[in-house]
Amino acid sequence: MTEATPEPETTFSRVMLKISGEALMGDQGFGLHPPTVQRIAQEVKRVSDLGVEICMVIGGGNIFRGLSGSAQGMERTTADYMGMLATVMNALAMQSALEEIGVFTRVISAIRMDEVAEPYIRRRAVRHLEKKRVCIFAAGTGNPYFTTDTAATLRANEMACEAIFMGKNGVDGIYDKDPKEHADAVRYDSVSYDDVLAKRLKVMDASAIALARDNNLPLIVFSLDEPGGFRGILAGRGTYTKVG
């Protein structure tokens, strides 16, 4: 008697994971918290072990945020380029943590810095994914005035990802108002792109949401806090909000 073949744990074959730079801070108010970086790397490894091809984009707000720099009087373009460099630092930290646990990783930068990262070439990046290497896309789109949310959506479309998974800290989906400030906040199980824009729900910036909508790219918002949560969400378990 032959054993039944187990059902696959996920139907996804290629995904984008977008996390903020603040996700790497842990309980600190600034910078990188190595144990937190290592914990997130373990989450990525659990999904990579399923055979899922993984793209990543990490924000830079734990080191420098271009928009806030601009608000304090710095010229916006300069501030945004500084923010892009912060994303490269975070990408390198994540690459180091992933490779320490045996996950082959490439940092791919939208701004040329050949000594520390590969330049972005779409076909080369696709080939890395096919070889089951995690690709971390750094330096945003390489242009000021565009956020890492937009960069994640752009790269997800270029890489033919099946969805963007947006890992949040302390929040397990999209709410009608900030659940950290309002006890009566209501979480959405699902919501349309147009409702996100019309209700100004704080998920991604409007450009990123519009780009996802125009290319019919699902967005799944979940909490990064629970161990094994990323793998569980890919299998349809756990609490999350789907935008589509």
Side-chain angles (χ1 to χ4, degrees):
M1 183 175 178
T2 58
E3 294 184 5
T5 303
E7 289 294 321
E9 194 162 345
T10 180
T11 58
F12 292 98
S13 59
R14 183 180 295 171
V15 300
M16 167 66 73
L17 174 63
K18 168 63 171 69
I19 61 176
S20 67
E22 288 87 348
L24 306 184
M25 291 192 309
D27 295 329
Q28 302 174 158
F30 178 82
L32 290 159
H33 183 238
T36 299
V37 177
Q38 291 160 8
R39 178 180 63 80
I40 295 173
Q42 288 286 355
E43 293 291 302
V44 174
K45 182 180 183 340
R46 289 187 180 103
V47 172
S48 179
D49 287 345
L50 294 175
V52 178
E53 298 167 5
I54 303 172
C55 304
M56 291 185 71
V57 168
I58 307 171
N62 57 318
I63 299 171
F64 188 86
R65 186 180 295 278
L67 194 58
S68 61
S70 175
Q72 294 176 34
M74 185 176 292
E75 194 269 324
R76 174 65 187 270
T77 301
T78 299
D80 279 354
Y81 279 122
M82 292 173 67
M84 291 178 214
L85 295 177
T87 71
V88 176
M89 295 171 69
N90 285 337
L92 292 172
M94 183 59 64
Q95 179 186 40
S96 177
L98 285 166
E99 291 188 338
E100 280 182 9
I101 55 177
V103 180
F104 293 108
T105 309
R106 295 291 184 272
V107 172
I108 301 171
S109 173
I111 299 173
R112 291 195 72 100
M113 47 184 77
D114 295 347
E115 287 76 13
V116 297
E118 291 186 10
Y120 176 68
I121 299 171
R122 189 184 68 84
R123 288 179 179 272
R124 181 185 292 176
V126 169
R127 186 64 180 139
H128 286 320
L129 291 170
E130 291 170 347
K131 292 182 177 180
K132 306 304 179 185
R133 297 165 180 160
V134 172
C135 288
I136 307 176
F137 296 100
T141 66
N143 302 287
Y145 294 93
F146 289 93
T147 67
T148 52
D149 287 345
T150 301
T153 310
L154 174 64
R155 297 297 184 232
N157 279 304
E158 289 180 303
M159 296 297 106
C161 292
E162 295 155 333
I164 299 175
F165 287 79
M166 194 164 193
K168 294 285 191 179
N169 287 354
V171 181
D172 57 1
I174 302 172
Y175 286 75
D176 61 346
K177 48 193 168 186
D178 190 344
K180 296 177 182 177
E181 298 179 3
H182 302 275
D184 60 344
V186 177
R187 185 181 59 80
Y188 296 95
D189 288 326
S190 63
V191 64
S192 70
Y193 305 110
D194 289 336
D195 279 347
V196 169
L197 292 171
K199 296 178 181 179
R200 298 189 177 186
L201 300 176
K202 294 181 179 179
V203 187
M204 284 181 157
D205 65 80
S207 297
I209 289 293
L211 183 58
R213 178 194 61 192
D214 293 348
N215 291 277
N216 198 29
L217 180 65
L219 170 64
I220 296 164
V221 182
F222 70 103
S223 172
L224 269 177
D225 296 335
E226 178 152 357
F230 182 29
R231 179 168 175 159
I233 294 296
L234 261 78
R237 300 190 297 268
T239 304
Y240 59 90
T241 300
K242 181 176 181 180
V243 182

